[in-house]
Amino acid sequence: MSAPVPPRLADDLDLCGPVLRRETLLAAALVLLLGVIALRFPAFVTASSLGGVFNDSAILIIMALGQAAVLLTRSVDLSVAANVALTGMAVALIDAHHGLPLGLTILAAPALGLLLGAFNGLLVWRLGMPPIVVTLGTLTIYRGLAFVLSGGTWINSFQFSPAFLALPRTELLGVPVLSWIAVAVVAAAAIVLGRTAAGRGWFAVGGNPTAAAYAGIDPGRARFLAFCFSGLLSGLCGYLWVARYAVAYVDLASGFELDVIAACVIGGVSIAGGIGSVAGAVLGSLFLGTIKNALPVVNVSPFAQMAISGTIIIAAVALNTRAERRRGRIILRPAGPQTAE
Amino acid sequence: MALQTTSRVIPDRLLGPIGRSAIRWETLLLVLAAAIFLANALASPYFLDIWNLSDATFNFTEKAIIALALAFVVMAGEIDLSVGGTIALASTAMGEAAALGFGTPALVAVGLGVGGACGLVNGVLIARLGLPAIMATIGTMSLYRGLSYLALGDGVLKDYPASFGWIGQGYVWQALSFEFACFLVLAALAGLVLHRTVFGRAVRAIGNNAFAARFSGLPVERIRLILFLLTGLAAGLAAVMLTSRLGSTRPSIALGWELDVVTIVVLGGISIQGGSGTIPGVVLAAFVLGLVTYGLGLLNVPGIIMSIVIGAMLIGTIALPILAGRVLAAQRRS
């Protein structure tokens, strides 16, 4: 029974063995962080408090998974927070003024998000436009459309139907539905990224677009699908955000795209594409979420939070860059059988 | 109609589909700017007043000055998203210095110095440590503005000396403001450097192929470092002007400017992949954006609708030539 095992292509470059893998390191860093906080504030690490941290990070986790898919294909989606604002405003208006059945209203959010993501994806795929330019443009357009829809007004908690607001907080087995949705999305993302042709295509295209094209994977189409995935999850978060905070306004989630990208980068998703994992994105989100929740507890001014996230982003990018560089730099590529004459 | 070329020419700027049919990007922008100017003049009777036109320059001059420097960065295939944060930090430093009783020349030096230091940090992270520019500057964008929030909280600094206001509000000749005069001089300088000097050619070469540039003996990392330093200095100058014009500093100053500045650069025809574009294009794009926002402002259009227009222009100006090129190519084939 010693059939030769085919070499497995690692998602993450397994340079230092499983013990020192990035996810393990990140998990250790997270535990260390919690340990340091626990030294002075033991109440922070009780089960209910940690459950609260997870629930607070749920939206970040969901959106980081969508962003991770896009980053894997060497693209970036800066429009995710604007997508949340627009879909959130749309479902809020539907719920407040038109009273569709709750199921339809909630389904409208991911559906609209998918459309917005597909628009980004089509521009990238069909017109070959750089993703950063496309999403920089749609970032302002989507948020502007949220203004057009609402006329700049706020939808406040008393205008929503009670069921619309209650869903994310309803507890199942002692855990809010919002957390369950995050768990379900993590499981779904693990399947999509690890077990479907589309997900494997994202890794292939990000690792080497030319090789992927030769292998029959259309890089443009793969990017399109990744943008659709990101848009779908952002749309879902549009509903979750509005329902959780019970308010919808144009500037909702403003600047959140940076948190999402930061979570991915902390989680080891490479901006250069092809490297990343579901576990990494989740751990990166939890790391950021823990810090955000812990700052007020350890008496650091909330105004320090932005500088701290910035420092963490830079440190994480620096670590990633070092890890990726250990491969060594190929100066002259070996003259392979390139007979494309 | 297959044209057999004997030698491979590396074009000064990579021509888009419309460029190939002999229409330059800059011409297109000029026509666009003229059309918007005309539309503004027709839409509002107050638009053509010389003082009104002078006022109209204020809302884009500072952004345009940063865009001139960022054009070099983008031309070299990099990006800097931290300019808004740099302005916030430089403005905060100036405010603190003013509170300590510094005079106007010292305040200008503080603004430029902090801006340059921010640019230098970006440059070291990107050129020396090899971080990807987009991530590094997303990080420093949060860091710089975060430091500003850390220093100010929700407070405001406004103890500026009276003479400080001239930089952002003064006029050098008739209706020609100091800010706009600065921009014109810097634009001419940037155009000369990019299109007429070895340094400019080196930047373009790096944007076309950084590896080839390195093997050609260009000090790629040093040039990249200089470009980020210059962008930081430009943001510092913009911070001096903006702070002087507003007369106060809050940590949210220049929020979201990176988007507008990148839009000017890309609309100006600088390829986001690097290697192609011109300074006249960037200058024209600054005028187009400035005129559109000012004209819409005269028509009482809310700011957020303007941002839709800007976003649509950013996508449209890139998408339309590609689509038009496809249509032309399809016609030629048939």
Side-chain angles (χ1 to χ4, degrees):
Chain A
M1 283 302 288
S2 59
V5 182
R8 203 172 146 268
L9 276 178
D11 297 348
D12 201 317
L13 286 176
D14 245 329
L15 294 167
C16 333
V19 182
L20 280 180
R21 281 191 50 182
R22 163 166 280 284
E23 283 80 3
T24 325
L25 280 174
L26 193 55
L30 190 57
V31 170
L32 191 71
L33 178 69
L34 288 174
V36 170
I37 301 168
L39 279 181
R40 289 191 55 200
F41 302 94
F44 189 77
V45 287
T46 58
S48 72
S49 163
L50 289 182
V53 171
F54 182 83
N55 202 46
D56 277 343
S57 313
I59 290 177
L60 184 60
I61 291 173
I62 297 173
M63 289 177 66
L65 289 169
Q67 186 70 253
V70 176
L71 289 178
L72 279 176
T73 66
R74 293 193 182 179
S75 305
V76 63
D77 189 347
L78 297 174
S79 71
V80 286
N83 187 326
V84 167
L86 178 51
T87 51
M89 181 56 82
V91 291
L93 287 168
I94 293 174
D95 185 66
H97 297 312
H98 300 291
L100 285 182
L102 185 65
L104 274 181
T105 312
I106 293 176
L107 271 184
L112 178 60
L114 177 67
L115 272 181
L116 301 178
F119 181 69
N120 287 332
L122 274 179
L123 289 173
V124 170
W125 178 21
R126 285 303 183 189
L127 296 184
M129 290 174 65
I132 181 169
V133 176
V134 169
T135 54
L136 211 52
T138 52
L139 145 83
T140 60
I141 295 175
Y142 293 167
R143 202 171 282 282
L145 288 178
F147 177 88
V148 173
L149 278 186
S150 65
T153 55
W154 289 43
I155 312 284
N156 293 305
S157 56
F158 65 90
Q159 290 167 283
F160 292 103
S161 64
F164 180 91
L165 296 182
L167 182 68
R169 317 154 199 270
T170 312
E171 296 208 344
L172 278 180
L173 305 174
V175 177
V177 166
L178 178 60
S179 293
W180 283 118
I181 293 177
V183 170
V185 170
V186 171
I191 293 169
V192 170
L193 263 72
R195 294 275 175 272
T196 65
R200 302 315 297 169
W202 296 336
F203 282 98
V205 166
N208 187 335
T210 318
Y214 278 120
I217 302 166
D218 181 347
R221 187 169 166 277
R223 288 195 179 114
F224 169 73
L225 291 175
F227 274 105
C228 288
F229 187 65
S230 170
L232 178 78
L233 293 183
S234 302
L236 174 65
C237 288
Y239 162 68
L240 293 175
W241 191 295
V242 168
R244 171 135 207 264
Y245 297 106
V247 64
Y249 55 100
V250 173
D251 279 331
L252 174 143
S254 184
F256 197 65
E257 64 273 359
L258 297 180
D259 285 1
V260 172
I261 294 172
C264 285
V265 172
I266 294 169
V269 182
S270 167
I271 191 84
I275 304 174
S277 66
V278 170
V282 172
L283 284 169
S285 309
L286 284 176
F287 194 81
L288 210 56
T290 306
I291 287 180
K292 286 198 167 178
N293 273 280
L295 282 183
V297 177
V298 297
N299 264 331
V300 175
S301 149
F303 292 115
Q305 191 195 305
M306 202 175 192
I308 292 176
S309 344
T311 313
I312 293 172
I313 296 174
I314 296 168
V317 180
L319 283 175
N320 285 0
T321 314
R322 281 180 61 119
E324 283 162 36
R325 196 180 273 172
R326 248 178 267 163
R327 275 179 285 183
R329 185 170 287 158
I330 302 167
I331 293 180
L332 283 173
R333 289 179 190 283
Q338 288 182 342
T339 46
E341 289 296 318
Chain B
M1 78 153 276
L3 243 149
Q4 196 63 49
T5 46
T6 45
S7 66
R8 190 158 165 267
V9 181
I10 296 173
D12 197 36
R13 75 187 280 281
L14 301 174
L15 291 175
I18 284 204
R20 250 180 262 127
S21 54
I23 300 172
R24 286 167 56 88
W25 183 251
E26 287 74 24
T27 323
L28 205 70
L29 279 175
L30 193 61
V31 171
L32 192 60
I36 296 165
F37 192 83
L38 196 68
N40 272 333
L42 291 178
S44 166
Y46 310 108
F47 182 75
L48 277 180
D49 180 68
I50 182 76
W51 286 97
N52 176 62
L53 291 177
S54 172
D55 276 355
T57 63
F58 278 104
N59 72 14
F60 68 90
T61 304
E62 292 129 6
K63 290 174 190 167
I65 287 175
I66 308 175
L68 290 174
L70 190 70
F72 282 80
V73 171
V74 175
M75 178 73 85
E78 307 283 335
I79 188 120
D80 187 348
L81 297 176
S82 72
V83 290
T86 303
I87 293 178
L89 188 56
S91 183
T92 305
M94 280 187 285
E96 302 281 8
L100 292 175
F102 281 50
T104 299
L107 290 182
V108 174
V110 166
L112 290 177
V114 172
C118 289
L120 192 63
V121 170
N122 286 335
V124 167
L125 288 174
I126 292 156
R128 293 272 181 259
L129 302 181
L131 308 194
I134 175 170
M135 293 316 304
T137 56
I138 282 180
T140 53
M141 155 162 83
S142 298
L143 177 61
Y144 299 156
R145 195 178 289 282
L147 288 175
S148 175
Y149 269 107
L150 196 57
L152 284 185
D154 50 4
V156 59
L157 292 167
K158 48 185 180 185
D159 308 320
Y160 293 102
S163 62
F164 184 62
W166 184 82
I167 299 166
Q169 299 163 16
Y171 294 87
V172 286
W173 181 74
Q174 298 274 328
L176 179 65
S177 66
F178 172 73
E179 281 199 5
F180 195 63
C182 257
F183 166 66
L184 292 179
V185 170
L186 288 174
L189 194 66
L192 278 180
V193 170
L194 185 60
H195 300 298
R196 290 284 179 273
T197 66
V198 177
F199 183 79
R201 300 291 295 177
V203 170
R204 196 183 290 278
I206 292 171
N208 268 314
N209 189 334
F211 273 103
R214 182 175 290 129
F215 287 129
S216 311
L218 288 175
V220 174
E221 308 305 340
R222 194 188 310 157
I223 291 176
R224 278 192 185 140
L225 185 79
I226 293 172
L227 295 183
F228 281 100
L229 175 63
L230 287 177
T231 305
L233 276 176
L237 178 60
V240 172
M241 291 174 166
L242 182 65
T243 310
S244 158
R245 186 155 66 86
L246 301 178
S248 69
T249 297
R250 281 177 201 280
S252 61
I253 190 172
L255 193 66
W257 272 31
E258 52 282 338
L259 175 70
D260 292 348
V261 175
V262 170
T263 305
I264 292 177
V265 170
V266 172
L267 189 65
I270 310 271
S271 160
I272 199 89
Q273 277 108 356
S276 76
T278 67
I279 291 295
V282 175
V283 173
L284 283 170
F287 276 104
V288 166
L289 274 185
L291 287 171
V292 165
T293 46
Y294 194 76
L296 292 177
L298 281 185
L299 299 175
N300 269 334
V301 175
I304 189 135
I305 305 284
M306 289 184 208
S307 68
I308 299 187
V309 174
I310 293 175
M313 270 169 48
L314 178 64
I315 291 179
T317 44
I318 299 180
L320 287 179
I322 297 175
L323 288 173
R326 289 223 181 121
V327 172
L328 285 177
Q331 279 178 350
R332 237 176 269 151
R333 245 180 275 127
S334 61

